[in-house]
């Protein structure tokens, strides 16, 4: 297995940690990298504009992916439409464990 560090490119996030993904060395293709990365990060592959090997190299084809080494850092650069983020941050009331009645305390 090839272990890579992947995150979504977003300079506006205070915490933008990497996650580690594993790719089978027998299937080192751009398509497989995109599929696994999107699945792990919860992103629609259609929203990925490009994959960047940090600090500044765009991955374009299978040969680029085949040259990757363990623990290299990658970013998914997403397309944004209508000024809306592709990720909708859940509001407090949508989170599990939220108690609506407890939030409506009167003093």
């Amino acid at each position: 297995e090839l272990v890579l560090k992947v995150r979504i490119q977003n300079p506006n996030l205070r915490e933008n940690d990497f996650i580690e993904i594993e790719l089978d060395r027998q299937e080192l293709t751009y398509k497989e990298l995109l599929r696994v990365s999107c699945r792990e990060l919860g992103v629609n592959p259609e929203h990925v504009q490009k994959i960047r090997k940090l600090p500044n190299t765009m991955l374009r084809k299978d040969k680029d992916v085949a040259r990757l080494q363990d623990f290299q850092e990658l970013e998914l650069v997403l397309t944004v439409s209508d000024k809306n983020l592709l990720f909708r941050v859940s509001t407090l009331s949508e989170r599990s464990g939220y108690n609506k009645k407890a939030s409506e305390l009167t003093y």
Side-chain angles (χ1 to χ4, degrees):
E1 288 184 336
L2 174 67
V3 178
L4 300 170
K5 295 168 61 176
V6 182
R7 71 178 180 188
I8 297 166
Q9 184 268 331
N10 188 344
N12 298 326
L13 289 179
R14 205 178 78 193
E15 290 186 30
N16 194 15
D17 295 331
F18 288 92
I19 63 166
E20 291 182 353
I21 63 167
E22 296 86 23
L23 292 178
D24 185 341
R25 290 190 186 267
Q26 305 305 316
E27 296 181 31
L28 286 181
T29 64
Y30 184 89
K31 185 177 180 179
E32 183 66 5
L33 172 61
L34 180 63
R35 185 188 71 77
V36 172
S37 298
C38 288
R39 184 188 71 221
E40 293 289 328
L41 291 167
V43 175
N44 184 336
E46 294 175 3
H47 294 149
V48 176
Q49 180 180 348
K50 61 185 171 183
I51 301 175
R52 178 184 296 133
K53 179 176 76 170
L54 293 178
N56 59 4
T57 304
M58 182 172 65
L59 298 179
R60 301 172 295 139
K61 54 191 176 188
D62 293 348
K63 284 186 178 184
D64 297 341
V65 175
R67 286 191 290 269
L68 293 174
Q69 302 295 315
D70 276 328
F71 301 104
Q72 283 195 295
E73 296 178 344
L74 306 176
E75 284 185 332
L76 299 184
V77 179
L78 305 180
T79 58
V80 179
S81 59
D82 299 330
K83 296 183 181 179
N84 291 326
L85 290 178
L86 297 171
F87 300 98
R88 192 174 61 82
V89 177
S90 65
T91 63
L92 188 59
S93 62
E94 293 171 332
R95 294 183 188 156
S96 63
Y98 176 76
N99 184 336
K100 184 165 174 53
K101 288 189 179 194
S103 71
E104 297 172 349
L105 294 175
T106 49
Y107 294 94

